[in-house]
Amino acid sequence: MNKTCRIINLQEEYSQLFKENISLLENGAPEQMNVLRAAAFDSFISKGIPSNKVEEYKYTNLQPYFKGTFDVAFSSDGAINNNSEKFHCGVPNLDTYNVFMINGWFAQQDELSTLPKGVIIGSIRDKAKEHPEIFEKYYNTNAPVDSDAMVAMNTAFAQDGAFVYIPKGVVVDKPIQLVNIMTGENDRLIFQRNLVIVEENAQVKMMLCDHTISPQKFVINNLTEVFANENSIFDAYNVQNQHNLTTQVSGMFVHQKKHSNILTNNLTLHSGVTRNNIRVTMDDERCESHVYGLYLSDKNQHVDNFTFIDHAKPNCESFELFKGVMDDSASGAFTGRVLVRPDAQQTNAYQSNNNLLLTENAKINSKPQLEIYADDVKCSHGATVGQLDDEAMFYLRARGINENEGRILLMFAFAYEVIEKIRVEPLKENIRSLVEKRFRGEFDKCDSCVVCGQQGSSVSCL
Amino acid sequence: MLVIKDLHAKIDDKEILRGINLEVKPGEVHAIMGPNGSGKSTLSSVLAGNEKFEVSDGHVTFNDKDLLALAPEDRAREGLFLSFQYPVEIPGVSMVNFMRTAVNEHRKYRDEEPHTASEFLKLMREKKKLVEIDSNLTNRSVNEGFSGGEKKKNEIFQMAMLEPKLAILDETDSGLDIDALRVVANGVNKLKSENTSTIVITHYQRLLDHIVPDFVHVLYKGRIVKSAGKELALELEEKGYDWIKKEFED
């Protein structure tokens, strides 16, 4: 069932939306989800949708984007409308295990039979009820509901999403991909909540891709909590490919235990307004984390990556690299908070943010924020903002390569470092060619998705 | 092939070339020598089309075309090649991709079909063998982490790939050990024909033992102050530039 809400004053109507529909929100949702709603709602309402007066959202005022008249789905059949029947997924070159969501709600998935025994994948609503002991142990234990209004909002309103559980010692040989299709006949507000648990000594690689396939305005608040337990390996590749009317607030909150090794890579290839909240808590010794991102923006697009690496325990290593290419009047922000707590001796933390501004109107705010309370650590950070290298350009032209082709080669060269960090070979190839197409201007959202092969339809090619 | 008439060029309002005259015919090898700061590298940059320098006067024709009116890429496609004194490192652009783009742009300019992948790789193999370049170099990003010698060898390899009519070697010998110098010189000699010409810009006689010039010019204070046969290079090696300076000042 869909409800239409008209948001003008934010808190007022969001409050009303929650209170009027609390029974619909709770209907069929796991108990633990419902138990947490009220407190999360209070936290959300007391803070409100962040404006740029909130320090952590200084460069992205979300308030205007969360106003409007939106459909909100309060049940699966509300989210999965007629439009979404049309999608069909063929996977080029990528052998993956696919889970489809529509407007944040679980829609369908591939046969599970080929997956290793004990792996649980499905709708968070269903799986939480089948495995309450797992769900209740983890759900919302690593999401900063009290400090971030958008996390609180998600916890208050989310009703569905993906649940992924990899049992002890299991290595999932092919990547799991969560495809979220956004579609509808009216503008839409979407919530999605994913929970990923990688048990001791287990390994999994995931791809998340969010697509808009109809031309309406979409406002998305999605959140993924990840628990990487002892000696586990976890990769997440988030491919963001949406039309210009989309606003996405995407949370990735990773909790690490001893000897775990995690990688997140946010590839923002096309978007309207994107805010990525990435937080890694290294809550045990000898953790390793790799936090990467690539954002390619033009027109009036805006991408804000807010990262927080929490070195809570000694002997951990983190590697952070974000690169951006901004064209036209695109704007962006990067915040890299690294916290080394007092006991976290022998920490190695490296951070780098490099930006290429192609026009005078493009803008980036880069803000490294290192807070170091231990005395025996190695931490470094670097932020650069620059233009294409004239000397390299002349070198290319002196070999007969025209200026436009030279620009593409150099932009690609700039971006490649992040693409090289992808630990799934076929995905790396696909992203490589997609990024090149993006720079050539041949790419639009009508291109099939690199990950899921989803073809855009012409109407949605805004 | 190349006719330079009264060429003046400046950078930041400082005049560096102050009336260069030079004619290079097909099949000829010209050496341009001169003390530091005389304008040797400026001349090569201006000919290749580097926009850092402003041409304030003069004419250059290259195969009867007005060279100065052409964009750098069109000069290259017309057959002018500059071997850079300091080849630029471009991390992230692979040698293969770089050369394939360049070669196919040249082909497009001549209305030829682009090379297929296999044709291109075959061409690369042939040329690598011709100039004795290490296979590994072409598997890397353009000049990234290359030693000085490797960079210069790589320039000669690119020259072999692009088959220019006129090659300008800008201090290709500086910083080269004797082995790399031999490889570079052999490459240049193998690529030479009666239809192609070479301008060797150098400080020293050493390279000219391997690439024998038909003419030697001395550039001083932005002008060619002396031209002669190859024996002039030997004389310069022996006596230095002071006598030229003195002659010029007088």
Side-chain angles (χ1 to χ4, degrees), chain A residues 394-395 397-400 413, chain B residues 73 77 82 91 106 143 155 158:
Chain A
F394 178 64
Y395 190 70
R397 293 181 74 189
R399 295 296 175 256
Chain B
E73 56 269 32
R77 294 162 183 171
L82 170 64
H106 280 250
N143 292 323
E155 294 292 288
Q158 293 172 39

Side-chain angles (χ1 to χ4, degrees), chain A residues 19 65-66 118 151-152 215 241 278 285 319 336 359 361 375 400 447 455:
Chain A
K19 285 176 180 156
Y65 304 107
F66 277 78
V151 173
N241 179 17
I278 301 146
E285 291 198 39
F319 304 89
T359 67
N361 294 326
D375 54 15
D447 260 309
Q455 287 284 351

Side-chain angles (χ1 to χ4, degrees), chain A residues 389 391-403 405 409-410 412-414 416 436, chain B residues 49-51 72-73 76-77 81-82 84 90-93 98 101-102 105-106 143 155 158:
Chain A
D389 181 352
E391 285 192 25
M393 179 61 96
F394 178 64
Y395 190 70
L396 296 175
R397 293 181 74 189
R399 295 296 175 256
I401 296 171
N402 69 42
E403 211 169 346
E405 198 69 26
L409 277 173
L410 292 177
F412 187 77
F414 179 82
Y416 108 113
E436 197 183 326
Chain B
N50 192 332
E51 283 152 8
E73 56 269 32
R77 294 162 183 171
F81 180 90
L82 170 64
F84 282 62
I90 315 179
V93 176
F98 169 50
T101 309
E105 292 262 316
H106 280 250
N143 292 323
E155 294 292 288
Q158 293 172 39

Side-chain angles (χ1 to χ4, degrees), chain B residues 94-237:
Chain B
S94 71
M95 270 307 295
V96 175
N97 202 5
F98 169 50
M99 273 293 103
R100 188 168 49 215
T101 309
V103 167
N104 283 336
E105 292 262 316
H106 280 250
R107 293 182 67 83
K108 197 161 84 189
Y109 191 72
R110 296 191 301 254
D111 278 328
E112 293 166 3
E113 287 291 304
H115 276 313
T116 63
S118 67
E119 281 167 353
F120 177 76
L121 290 174
K122 186 162 166 265
L123 181 72
M124 280 244 311
R125 263 201 308 277
E126 282 167 19
K127 301 296 186 183
K128 273 196 283 202
K129 216 165 135 193
L130 184 74
V131 298
E132 302 169 58
I133 184 176
D134 189 343
S135 234
N136 295 330
L137 293 186
T138 55
N139 293 333
R140 288 157 58 179
S141 288
V142 178
N143 292 323
E144 191 191 21
F146 286 25
S147 69
E150 286 170 338
K151 282 182 185 165
K152 297 300 173 72
K153 285 191 216 168
N154 191 19
E155 294 292 288
I156 302 307
F157 166 68
Q158 293 172 39
M159 176 177 154
M161 290 295 289
L162 298 173
E163 299 177 334
K165 295 186 187 109
L166 171 68
I168 304 169
L169 310 179
D170 186 5
E171 304 212 14
T172 300
D173 52 339
S174 61
L176 282 195
D177 62 53
I178 200 74
D179 204 40
L181 187 80
R182 186 192 52 79
V183 171
V184 164
N186 280 351
V188 173
N189 286 331
K190 279 182 194 163
L191 295 167
K192 221 164 59 179
S193 77
E194 58 187 22
N195 301 317
T196 65
S197 316
T198 313
I199 297 176
V200 184
I201 293 174
T202 180
H203 234 55
Y204 307 104
Q205 155 66 19
R206 204 171 49 146
L207 181 64
L208 303 179
D209 287 341
H210 300 274
I211 306 170
V212 181
D214 302 303
F215 303 94
V216 175
H217 311 276
V218 178
L219 194 63
Y220 181 60
K221 290 195 172 168
R223 289 201 188 109
I224 289 176
V225 295
K226 202 170 186 61
S227 296
K230 64 183 173 190
E231 66 286 351
L232 178 59
L234 289 166
E235 199 176 351
L236 289 168
E237 182 80 4

Side-chain angles (χ1 to χ4, degrees), chain A residues 233 237 348 352 434:
Chain A
I233 300 179
Y237 302 95
N348 286 332
S352 180
L434 197 74

